[in-house]
Amino acid sequence: MSGISVQKLNKNFGAKKVLEDIYFEVENGEVVAILGPSGCGKTTLLKCILGLEKSDSGEIFVGSTRLTEWLKDNRIAYVPQKYANFNYLTVAQNILAALNGQELNLDSLVESSLKNVGLDKFKTSYPGQLSGGMQQRLALARALASGAGIIAFDEPFSSLDVETRQQMQELILESRSDNKKTMLFVTHDIEEAIFLARKIVVMGTKPGVVREIIDVPFNYPRPSSLRFDEEFQKIRRALSFIVRSEGIKGKLSEGEPIVGRSHKIGLYYWPGNSPFFYAQERGWFENDLLPVEFISFSDNRQKIDFWKSGKIDILNVTIDTALRLKKEIPDTEIIMGLNISRGGDALISRDPISSVKEIKNKRVALEKDEISEFFLRYVLYKNGMNLEDVIVADMKGDEIGAALISGRVDAAVLWEPWLSKTLELSRAHVVATSRDFSVFADVLVARKSFAEENKEEIQKIKMIWQKSVDAYYLNKQDFTRAVAPAVGLSARDLASQLELIEFFDGGTKRVLEIGGEIKDMMR
């Protein structure tokens, strides 16, 4: 039996892109977990590998043979989320059905198959007479007995209690030590992925992409106590951050704007934009006959490129970026002041760094040419240093936290919604925060020509923004409960993050004053 190679796989359902350029390798006898939030395409990917779904482009090979050819003479055993047993057959007969066509001592093989999963005392029982855990053990025994060299699991233990789930995980590893079958395991359970797999394919959302491939460093056999190992927990924390980040991105509209007559507003991930989402949830834009489309970007440079190319009309940036754009494109105009960070941005680090001076010559993760770079420049400037005093690791905002948690960098500049979770999972501490520097403000910009042609619509956006901000200060609990599902956060997390932000009324006077304060540093 050879390994599996997935090469640039793409899959659409109608106009919706579900999988994009999926690429990874599974070595012969390897256990690989496919991990990601709900809706990222894990099950669709597995069905493509099983031959149950046809991809639109790309290839899947088993060894050097295309999957479609290989499946003509071979099979992949499949253990789905729902029990895949024949309810009208006894436990023993279920195993016999899986052994169909094998020229072996069938009675002996049935006995050993059931003994391996602890069901040898239930040979004459029917699946409906077994507990959920026992039914999944039977499904596993059928897959192992089938003779297939590859077994695919699709979240088979999600409905089981914690103790039974862990028993099943240990049972899989025990069976692996006996037969060295290649196993693909789709799951949303992070600990399960780490405990079972040699390699974890982490998927992102909208469309489903391979976000990262993580090698798990533990040898087999793996004792149950491994779950308490510090390195295990370190990997768990990093994966928790990545999966949470992808879950947030999955809730918000990201990517290409929809072609249409609506005003397209490009946002970045930041709880300070919550008033827009509250107004959207309440239907206020529709009530004012104001068609708007909010497109959120995890890559702020892509957002700016979209605005420059005319794909979006209005751009959400920080005041420093707005000033830079005005210098680059004189037609740029600041049309609204939105908010100012009062602790929602920070420079954080791991021990033993405890002051700004101590990050000299350290590796600091940030997003170049965006607020995180400006934040660091400003903090260094205030401490008599400059950016050349540190080693910059350039990455997107939702990648920065994972880099700090996993120890790939010494410090990081982050903002909410990534900041608080990184502090929680990395055991890092705050070195400097925007609470101490009142210059990190958000604005909306547009081209002057657009602003002139759409004065009435921009005024409506300002009025709706102010109405939404008033609603927040009037009833914060109602506001956060309404917005939290839309932005992929719990109401509690969103509430604590919003406390780190001061909202403006949409006017530009305050942000222009802040712009004047930072001009000297930006020269």
Side-chain angles (χ1 to χ4, degrees), residues 32-103:
V32 172
I34 301 172
L35 177 71
S38 298
C40 70
K42 301 186 298 293
T43 295
T44 300
L45 171 58
L46 191 66
K47 286 182 176 180
C48 288
I49 295 171
L50 288 165
L52 301 176
E53 288 279 2
K54 185 178 180 181
S55 63
D56 294 303
S57 63
E59 294 286 356
I60 301 173
F61 289 88
V62 179
S64 58
T65 306
R66 280 188 171 85
L67 178 69
T68 49
E69 291 298 314
W70 185 86
L71 285 173
K72 291 177 180 178
D73 300 310
N74 301 276
R75 58 169 297 197
I76 298 174
Y78 180 38
V79 183
Q81 187 171 353
K82 300 296 183 183
Y83 311 129
N85 302 310
F86 298 115
N87 290 329
Y88 55 88
L89 299 179
T90 65
V91 167
Q93 288 168 340
N94 265 274
I95 301 298
L96 280 170
L99 292 169
N100 184 36
Q102 297 187 41
E103 297 179 3

Side-chain angles (χ1 to χ4, degrees), residues 192-213:
E192 183 169 77
I194 302 170
F195 186 73
L196 290 175
R198 172 66 71 190
K199 184 163 58 187
I200 301 173
V201 178
V202 187
M203 292 189 65
T205 57
K206 288 189 174 182
V209 296
V210 175
R211 164 73 186 266
E212 285 193 43
I213 296 178

Side-chain angles (χ1 to χ4, degrees), residues 92 95-96 99 106-115 123:
I95 301 298
L96 280 170
L99 292 169
L106 295 182
D107 289 340
S108 174
L109 195 50
V110 168
E111 183 72 24
S112 63
S113 295
L114 292 176
K115 187 170 288 187
K123 286 186 288 188

Side-chain angles (χ1 to χ4, degrees), residues 194 214 216-218 231-240:
I194 302 170
I214 294 176
V216 181
F218 309 115
E231 183 64 22
F232 186 103
Q233 290 301 317
K234 182 179 176 181
I235 298 170
R236 182 192 63 79
R237 291 192 293 269
L239 286 172
S240 294

Side-chain angles (χ1 to χ4, degrees), residues 57-302:
S57 63
E59 294 286 356
I60 301 173
F61 289 88
V62 179
S64 58
T65 306
R66 280 188 171 85
L67 178 69
T68 49
E69 291 298 314
W70 185 86
L71 285 173
K72 291 177 180 178
D73 300 310
N74 301 276
R75 58 169 297 197
I76 298 174
Y78 180 38
V79 183
Q81 187 171 353
K82 300 296 183 183
Y83 311 129
N85 302 310
F86 298 115
N87 290 329
Y88 55 88
L89 299 179
T90 65
V91 167
Q93 288 168 340
N94 265 274
I95 301 298
L96 280 170
L99 292 169
N100 184 36
Q102 297 187 41
E103 297 179 3
L104 297 166
N105 185 333
L106 295 182
D107 289 340
S108 174
L109 195 50
V110 168
E111 183 72 24
S112 63
S113 295
L114 292 176
K115 187 170 288 187
N116 286 340
V117 297
L119 292 177
D120 51 308
K121 306 296 185 187
F122 298 89
K123 286 186 288 188
T124 60
S125 299
Y126 287 87
Q129 297 172 310
L130 305 178
S131 68
M134 293 169 75
Q135 290 192 57
Q136 283 298 53
R137 276 190 271 162
L138 176 58
L140 175 60
R142 292 183 67 247
L144 292 170
S146 68
I150 303 172
I151 304 178
F153 299 85
D154 188 6
E155 304 199 45
F157 310 143
S158 59
S159 61
L160 303 180
D161 62 82
V162 173
E163 184 177 350
T164 305
R165 188 184 307 143
Q166 290 184 355
Q167 290 173 354
M168 291 299 299
Q169 293 163 5
E170 290 164 18
L171 181 59
I172 283 177
L173 292 189
E174 288 172 10
S175 65
R176 178 201 169 277
S177 66
D178 295 333
N179 53 60
K180 300 295 189 295
K181 292 181 184 288
T182 301
M183 295 184 180
L184 284 170
F185 206 98
V186 165
T187 182
H188 64 269
D189 186 316
I190 293 169
E191 288 200 1
E192 183 169 77
I194 302 170
F195 186 73
L196 290 175
R198 172 66 71 190
K199 184 163 58 187
I200 301 173
V201 178
V202 187
M203 292 189 65
T205 57
K206 288 189 174 182
V209 296
V210 175
R211 164 73 186 266
E212 285 193 43
I213 296 178
I214 294 176
D215 292 317
V216 181
F218 309 115
N219 293 325
Y220 297 106
R222 294 176 178 175
S224 59
S225 59
L226 178 65
R227 297 181 178 92
F228 304 102
D229 180 87
E230 177 55 33
E231 183 64 22
F232 186 103
Q233 290 301 317
K234 182 179 176 181
I235 298 170
R236 182 192 63 79
R237 291 192 293 269
L239 286 172
S240 294
F241 182 86
I242 295 170
V243 172
R244 176 183 181 269
S245 298
E246 292 301 325
I248 292 172
K249 289 163 62 177
K251 288 290 184 180
L252 297 171
S253 175
E254 179 174 86
E256 290 280 347
I258 299 170
V259 176
R261 297 178 62 84
S262 62
H263 297 302
K264 296 165 179 59
I265 303 177
L267 306 176
Y268 65 93
Y269 292 109
W270 167 241
N273 290 321
S274 293
F276 284 131
F277 298 118
Y278 183 80
Q280 196 172 45
E281 288 293 308
R282 291 291 183 258
W284 291 345
F285 292 104
E286 293 177 7
N287 293 345
D288 271 5
L289 302 178
L290 183 62
V292 296
E293 180 189 353
F294 294 107
I295 307 102
S296 297
F297 291 82
S298 56
D299 185 339
N300 286 314
R301 284 163 288 202
Q302 182 191 38

